[in-house]
Amino acid sequence: AHHHSAPPPNRNPRRRPSPPPPAAMDEQQVLLGISRSDMLARIERCGRDPAMLDLGSNMLLHFAYEYLPDPPVSPTAPLSLAGASWVPDGVDRISRLPDVVLRDIISRLPAKDAARTTALASRWRPLWRSAPLALVDNHLLPDGGASGPLIIGAPSPRAVTAAVSSALAAHPGPFRCVHLTCSTMDEHRGEMARWIDTLVAKGVKDLVFVNRPWPMDLRLPATLFSCASLTRLYLGVWTLPGTAAVPRGASFPNLRELGLCMTVMEDRALAFLLEKSPVLEFLLIMWSQTGVRLRLVSHSLRCLQLGYTHLEDIEVVDAPRLERFFLRNVSLPGTGKFTINSPSRIKIGGAPNLRVLGYIQPGQTELGISNTVIAGSKENIVPSVQILAIELHFGVRDAVKKSPRISEKSTGKVNLKFWQEGGPMKCVVQSMKKVFFYEFQGSRSEVAFLKFIAERGRVLEQMVVVVSSKCFSWVDDDVNVKLKPLTGAKWSSKACKLHIFKSPRTDVAGPLCRHNIACDFGWADPFDLRYYYKAERMSVS
């Protein structure tokens, strides 16, 4: 079990509230079907700073970029020629390697460096055209992409767009990976369409295709759905084509990983993608711009990640291989805002192998099995889940009390009695072996919660408390005072180990689990202490 203690919302009317997420600046349609100039005019009419448009757009893009996979090649990879000076006869033994080995070397280089190998020796000249190419447009920038993603205000790099067109036309394929994120696609619609046609014809396997807005709802060419060679696909800032526009017989028979970031899509388009991807194992939906109903039917999917997205309903109907289900601040239908006034509806039906579930937010997430909302009984809890992560606002009683695990008859403060009155939760606590409590703020309600677990955790083996470094200037004596009720409690499990760490994080906003760790099955528990191995251990007496 994992708990993330989030700070309470700002209640001080004199303080200016933090700016809302860009998607929440206005009604949902603000982002869709509107030109940049019209958007600027609308912002000015509302008496707002026009600079907010680029600021908000950049924030959105940076969120999108955060969820894109890293390319398998890098222009900054270390190259060593140290051994060249002591080769006794000066013979070029690398060029004597078999063609298959040299092609593999070339395919592991950025496209620009791969093309330069033709100048090494005559032995290399024909190899570039027959080696799988890795083309990343960010590497074609003057700094090789070292400065990070381009901001909205920067001019569209016409030279990079032209270089991409040249490379795609010159190389006969196949393409190992193609990552295109630098171009404002609306300014290059003809070239964009030709890129897609070329990538489909030449068998791209790994494609990251991101439009730099505006507009935010540029329609993705439907010919991409004919690309049967794809094994990984990430799309950003597009409107997915309707199913009627998709070529007949289109499918993704080899697609294992799909990421949709800041997309506009219909229910049917999403269902079509899942239906036509029979071996899909990893699905990521982040910052979806429009409300969509996800009805998950997939016999191959193993990991589902949803976050910052407008999903009206989520229903896991038939997903026998689904093992991990992650949520991050799923927004509410019809509002376009991130709030906890009403729950997002999630029903988990056919997922017998679901092992990891989080972050669940009491009061925001209405979680059910089939038609039964998870509430008061042990029988209703997903029996297969072994790792559960919950985000709680311990400083706000109403937010905690909205949890369906807590009895509505509970009264008073969020103290030990408060948790004791939530009888059904005892069943959960008594079966837990490990508890990680991240970003501990030092409040009495947090200590009461931990004490409740300590006194009822019969099989508890480990409790780890990570103290927030942002909210407190901690010294060991402070820790002792704050945690004295916990250390002095009558622990149900005498063998349990209590570990205290100082958090290395400077921010406490949002869950800790990173998306790339979430989908990496090499990590048995994506919520554990891997982010805190370098944290300072604190002694508690």
Side-chain angles (χ1 to χ4, degrees):
H2 303 261
H3 301 274
H4 179 275
S5 178
N10 174 34
R11 303 285 187 182
N12 186 348
R14 295 184 180 181
R15 289 187 59 185
R16 178 177 296 178
S18 301
M25 286 192 299
D26 267 317
E27 297 295 332
Q28 181 175 310
Q29 62 266 24
V30 163
L31 297 178
L32 308 177
I34 186 170
S35 68
R36 178 181 169 86
S37 57
D38 289 343
M39 183 63 143
L40 284 170
R42 179 171 181 170
I43 289 176
E44 290 178 348
R45 285 197 302 270
C46 294
R48 297 180 178 180
D49 185 352
M52 285 184 62
L53 180 59
D54 282 348
L55 176 62
S57 300
N58 285 327
M59 287 175 63
L60 284 170
L61 267 188
H62 277 283
F63 271 114
Y65 285 129
E66 180 184 350
Y67 288 94
L68 299 179
D70 294 327
V73 296
S74 171
T76 60
L79 300 176
S80 176
L81 298 177
S85 60
W86 54 265
V87 175
D89 52 10
V91 175
D92 178 9
R93 290 184 172 82
I94 294 180
S95 294
R96 293 181 176 181
L97 293 171
D99 284 0
V100 64
V101 176
L102 296 182
R103 289 192 190 97
D104 187 58
I105 292 173
I106 294 172
S107 71
R108 296 173 185 272
L109 297 173
K112 186 185 295 186
D113 294 327
R116 288 171 177 168
T117 60
T118 59
L120 292 176
S122 58
R123 176 79 167 77
W124 292 79
R125 287 168 192 162
L127 296 175
W128 175 78
R129 289 178 55 83
S130 59
L133 188 67
L135 176 60
V136 181
D137 61 357
N138 199 37
H139 296 169
L140 302 176
L141 295 170
D143 63 352
S147 60
L150 292 171
I151 61 173
I152 298 295
S156 182
R158 187 66 184 86
V160 170
T161 304
V164 169
S165 294
S166 177
L168 291 178
H171 198 281
F175 294 107
R176 178 188 177 194
C177 79
V178 176
H179 289 205
L180 304 177
T181 63
C182 289
S183 295
T184 304
M185 300 296 181
D186 188 45
E187 299 175 5
H188 308 283
R189 293 198 181 199
E191 287 166 294
M192 176 189 70
R194 288 191 291 273
W195 289 353
I196 294 295
D197 291 342
T198 300
L199 292 171
V200 172
K202 297 182 179 180
V204 63
K205 293 184 177 180
D206 179 344
L207 176 61
V208 174
F209 200 45
V210 178
N211 169 42
R212 292 181 64 222
W214 297 76
M216 300 288 286
D217 58 347
L218 189 62
R219 189 166 295 275
L220 182 74
T223 50
L224 180 62
F225 285 70
S226 300
C227 194
S229 58
L230 281 168
T231 59
R232 180 164 72 172
L233 174 63
Y234 277 74
L235 300 171
V237 201
W238 294 102
T239 290
L240 299 188
T243 55
V246 175
R248 180 172 296 181
S251 67
F252 296 117
N254 300 299
L255 189 65
R256 293 182 63 250
E257 184 175 348
L258 173 63
L260 303 173
C261 303
M262 295 174 61
T263 55
V264 180
M265 54 187 167
E266 300 173 353
D267 297 357
R268 178 56 191 153
L270 181 57
F272 177 84
L273 275 173
L274 294 175
E275 177 186 339
K276 298 298 182 180
S277 305
V279 298
L280 187 68
E281 296 186 15
F282 306 96
L283 174 61
L284 168 74
I285 303 177
M286 288 288 169
W287 287 98
S288 172
Q289 296 186 51
T290 50
V292 117
R293 290 178 175 86
L294 173 60
R295 190 175 185 271
L296 183 61
V297 177
S298 172
H299 287 188
S300 59
L301 196 68
R302 299 178 64 198
C303 181
L304 173 63
Q305 296 191 66
L306 308 172
Y308 307 110
T309 190
H310 299 273
L311 290 171
E312 296 180 2
D313 284 292
I314 305 168
E315 184 177 2
V316 180
V317 178
D318 186 15
R321 296 192 64 200
L322 184 64
E323 298 178 46
R324 299 184 173 192
F325 187 179
F326 300 89
L327 304 99
R328 293 192 66 175
N329 292 338
V330 176
S331 68
L332 304 179
T335 66
K337 297 178 172 64
F338 299 96
T339 170
I340 60 172
N341 292 334
S342 302
S344 296
R345 294 174 295 275
I346 303 172
K347 294 181 180 179
I348 299 178
N353 289 307
L354 186 61
R355 300 285 184 267
V356 180
L357 180 61
Y359 274 90
I360 302 301
Q361 296 175 307
Q364 180 172 350
T365 307
E366 181 183 306
L367 180 63
I369 300 178
S370 298
N371 295 321
T372 305
V373 174
I374 291 181
S377 69
K378 180 180 180 181
E379 289 73 24
N380 285 341
I381 297 170
V382 184
S384 62
V385 171
Q386 298 174 351
I387 300 169
L388 176 65
I390 302 175
E391 184 174 7
L392 290 175
H393 291 262
F394 281 90
V396 184
R397 175 184 170 81
D398 287 345
V400 177
K401 193 172 180 179
K402 283 181 180 179
S403 170
R405 299 187 186 279
I406 304 302
S407 169
E408 287 299 323
K409 296 180 181 179
S410 298
T411 57
K413 299 179 180 180
V414 184
N415 51 24
L416 186 59
K417 182 181 178 182
F418 176 86
W419 297 105
Q420 290 171 339
E421 290 176 349
M425 190 172 181
K426 297 176 185 177
C427 300
V428 180
V429 172
Q430 289 173 359
S431 64
M432 289 192 303
K433 293 184 178 180
K434 296 181 181 180
V435 172
F436 298 96
F437 194 107
Y438 293 131
E439 304 305 328
F440 177 77
Q441 307 287 312
S443 69
R444 293 182 179 180
S445 57
E446 291 174 315
V447 175
F449 175 75
L450 292 172
K451 184 179 179 181
F452 168 76
I453 293 177
E455 293 182 346
R456 282 160 179 76
R458 294 178 180 176
V459 295
L460 197 62
E461 299 173 357
Q462 185 182 34
M463 178 182 288
V464 178
V465 180
V466 182
V467 179
S468 171
S469 59
K470 180 179 180 179
C471 298
F472 295 94
S473 298
W474 285 82
V475 295
D476 288 351
D477 288 344
D478 294 327
V479 175
N480 290 332
V481 171
K482 295 287 186 181
L483 293 177
K484 187 175 180 179
L486 176 62
T487 56
K490 295 180 179 180
W491 287 62
S492 178
S493 173
K494 304 301 180 184
C496 182
K497 304 291 185 182
L498 174 63
H499 303 286
I500 310 295
F501 290 90
K502 177 183 287 187
S503 172
R505 288 176 52 137
T506 57
D507 70 295
V508 294
L512 297 166
C513 181
R514 295 183 180 273
H515 72 282
N516 56 337
I517 297 295
C519 64
D520 186 346
F521 282 78
W523 307 117
D525 181 353
F527 298 107
D528 72 5
L529 280 176
R530 299 185 194 281
Y531 307 111
Y532 291 97
Y533 278 151
K534 296 181 180 180
E536 178 185 349
R537 183 183 290 272
M538 308 180 74
S539 61
V540 178
S541 57

